[in-house]
Amino acid sequence: AQSVTQLGSHVSVSEGALVLLRCNYSSSVPPYLFWYVQYPNQGLQLLLKYTTGATLVKGINGFEAEFKKSETSFHLTKPSAHMSDAAEYFCAVSEYSSASKIIFGSGTRLSIRP
Amino acid sequence: GAVVSQHPSRVICKSGTSVKIECRSLDFQATTMFWYRQFPKKSLMLMATSNEGSKATYEQGVEKDKFLINHASLTLSTLTVTSAHPEDSSFYICSASIAGTGELFFGEGSRLTVL
């Protein structure tokens, strides 16, 4: 069985500061890992994903995440926060196969202070 | 990128009525679609996996007779909330997978309010 744990339901940073959203996963098979962003009353938008290959994955809007198998982590970072980054962020995992269901973490709400 | 569209985006209905939500993959064929439910300030809970031409697979605790799922074509899956009650009010999101990628594309979500 797969699972995802996001540490911190709410993270607040100042504009221009580093953003770090933590995610740890559990999977019995090589995982696909994802970060999604959700703005209020909207669906989910894919920020980035890890499937195979390079462990440092770059996504949209300046976000990146690093897959660390030894730590079973996939933390999301952005060097400099922007006001428009305020949203809900979900880490997710699926099996290393096609058309698999995705299991989501509980989400982290990111707030940006002026 | 691939586009998944949901309709309606918002629906308000009276208690006891049934509501149908459509999920369409606009530019690709989706043999598998997924339906999620999201409570306020909560994560997405997988309700069921919808496979084209066959019965949906429901997650534990999800009532099959309450949430009817039909996947009649490679581009359309529908979720019907039958005999809706106020506790069914929620944000319902569908997603579709492109075979071989392991990636899901999500619809915009449908907010159901049952009065």
Side-chain angles (χ1 to χ4, degrees):
Chain A
Q2 296 179 306
S3 66
V4 175
T5 301
Q6 289 184 242
L7 298 176
S9 59
H10 182 209
V11 171
S12 180
V13 302
S14 298
E15 188 174 18
L18 171 70
V19 175
L20 171 60
L21 304 183
R22 299 178 185 276
C23 173
N24 288 89
Y25 71 92
S26 173
S27 178
S28 57
V29 299
Y32 280 6
L33 294 162
F34 309 85
W35 274 99
Y36 286 89
V37 61
Q38 184 182 34
Y39 297 99
N41 294 312
Q42 294 186 24
L44 276 70
Q45 180 182 10
L46 180 67
L47 278 177
L48 49 80
K49 66 177 179 180
Y50 168 80
T51 54
T52 59
T55 56
L56 181 62
V57 181
K58 294 186 183 298
I60 62 172
N61 301 337
F63 285 94
E64 62 182 37
E66 186 171 10
F67 170 61
K68 292 186 176 181
K69 184 178 179 180
S70 61
E71 299 177 8
T72 62
S73 68
F74 192 57
H75 302 329
L76 181 71
T77 60
K78 181 174 180 177
S80 178
H82 192 273
M83 295 300 291
S84 61
D85 295 327
E88 190 84 19
Y89 291 81
F90 294 96
C91 182
V93 63
S94 72
E95 292 181 349
Y96 193 79
S97 62
S98 62
S100 297
K101 64 184 182 183
I102 282 184
I103 304 301
F104 285 88
S106 54
T108 298
R109 180 164 61 91
L110 176 63
S111 299
I112 311 297
R113 302 187 300 271
Chain B
V3 178
V4 175
S5 177
Q6 273 184 250
H7 178 80
S9 58
R10 292 178 180 271
V11 57
I12 300 173
C13 70
K14 293 182 179 180
S15 184
T17 61
S18 295
V19 174
K20 179 184 287 187
I21 301 171
E22 293 185 346
C23 178
R24 294 181 184 273
S25 56
L26 298 185
D27 50 3
F28 66 99
Q29 293 184 330
T31 55
T32 304
M33 290 184 172
F34 303 89
W35 286 95
Y36 292 83
R37 180 174 180 177
Q38 186 178 32
F39 293 96
K41 299 184 179 180
K42 296 289 185 182
S43 186
L44 284 75
M45 180 192 76
L46 180 64
M47 298 174 66
T49 301
S50 170
N51 297 298
E52 186 267 335
S54 64
K55 291 183 178 180
T57 303
Y58 290 81
E59 296 298 305
Q60 190 174 7
V62 178
E63 298 177 62
K64 300 178 182 181
D65 296 331
K66 160 68 83 173
F67 300 101
L68 301 180
I69 292 173
N70 182 275
H71 195 157
S73 77
L74 288 172
T75 59
L76 174 64
S77 176
T78 60
L79 167 67
T80 301
V81 183
T82 63
S83 186
H85 288 95
E87 55 265 31
D88 298 326
S89 299
S90 193
F91 195 54
Y92 293 90
I93 303 176
C94 74
S95 66
S97 173
I98 296 179
T101 66
E103 181 179 343
L104 291 183
F105 296 92
F106 286 82
E108 312 95 323
S110 299
R111 182 163 298 285
L112 170 64
T113 302
V114 184
L115 302 176

